[in-house]
Structure formats: C-alpha cells, structure tokens
Amino acid sequence: MNELKNNFTSLIDKTIKSYSKIDNDTGVKLHGVKGIEKFKSKIGNDVIEFMKFSREKAVLRLTSTKIKGKITSENNLKQVRSFCENNKFTKSQIETVVTIFNEANKNNFIVEVTVAK
C-alpha cells in the first residue's frame, strides 16, 4: 500500500507539471489543478479511500473550447496525429500530447483531450 501511495503521489505531481506545460505550450487555458490536488490529497490521506475513488475515476479530461473533436490515450499514433493536425497543433504541442498519452498508457489510466462543454 505504501508503494501505491508513493508512486501515485509522484504521478500526480507529474500530471500537475504536464497541465502547466500544456497550458504554456499551447496557449490554451486548461481547467485549474484544484481537482488534481484534491485527488492527490485523497491518496495521501487514505489509500483505501483512493482505491474506492479510483474505481470511479479512470479518465483525466483535458478540455478547451478551441478543440474540435476528441482523442484519447487509447487511440493509435496515426489517429492522434490526425486529431492534432485537424486542430492545427504545432510540432511541440503534438510532442506534448504524445508524451502525456505515453505516460498514461505506462501508468494504466486514460487521458482524453476534448472540446469543453
């Protein structure tokens, strides 16, 4: 349980840094990190509570009103590149999305980039 707690805390820190990087690289303001920090707090306070919570939340959604369509870390690289091209992402932005999706796949969670509703 301690290993789970420590690994997820590190992953959440990386997620917060990634949010900031996406915001800076794309110029698109993402939702604040308060929800992620709350999620991190749940992990730190009670691993059992986190395990219950994690069964309810498996997807990290990154949204923007400037995005057209939707892509997730479950899509293949060709689909990701097509989505990025359709949304006129720069090379740096595409690399950021691919990096975040790879991290999600390695750590068994889903990242979704989609239009804000």
Side-chain angles (χ1 to χ4, degrees):
M1 289 291 209
N2 253 353
E3 185 177 340
L4 174 70
K5 178 179 168 182
N6 293 335
N7 288 340
F8 274 113
T9 299
S10 173
L11 178 61
I12 296 302
D13 289 339
K14 288 178 185 178
T15 302
I16 291 169
K17 287 179 185 175
S18 293
Y19 253 58
S20 178
K21 181 168 175 40
I22 292 168
D23 189 17
N24 290 334
D25 287 354
T26 64
V28 175
K29 186 72 177 158
L30 299 174
H31 296 282
V33 297
K34 288 182 183 177
I36 297 172
E37 289 172 345
K38 182 178 177 183
F39 181 72
K40 181 180 175 182
S41 175
K42 278 190 175 245
I43 296 168
N45 293 333
D46 187 350
V47 175
I48 300 298
E49 185 65 28
F50 163 72
M51 291 173 77
K52 290 179 193 173
F53 178 74
S54 68
R55 290 184 185 113
E56 298 169 13
K57 277 212 174 218
V59 178
L60 172 63
R61 286 188 179 86
L62 307 175
T63 63
S64 170
T65 56
K66 297 180 180 183
I67 297 290
K68 296 175 189 159
K70 174 176 102 172
I71 195 79
T72 75
S73 53
E74 296 178 312
N75 290 103
N76 65 43
L77 187 58
K78 183 178 177 182
Q79 293 167 318
V80 172
R81 290 197 183 279
S82 176
F83 171 85
C84 291
E85 288 171 14
N86 289 340
N87 283 284
K88 298 182 179 17
F89 281 23
T90 66
K91 182 180 177 184
S92 175
Q93 292 167 335
I94 293 169
E95 289 171 359
T96 299
V97 170
V98 169
T99 299
I100 291 168
F101 282 7
N102 286 338
E103 216 31 59
N105 290 327
K106 284 183 201 171
N107 291 288
N108 201 28
F109 68 97
I110 299 168
V111 174
E112 178 181 300
V113 179
T114 189
V115 64
K117 294 180 181 179

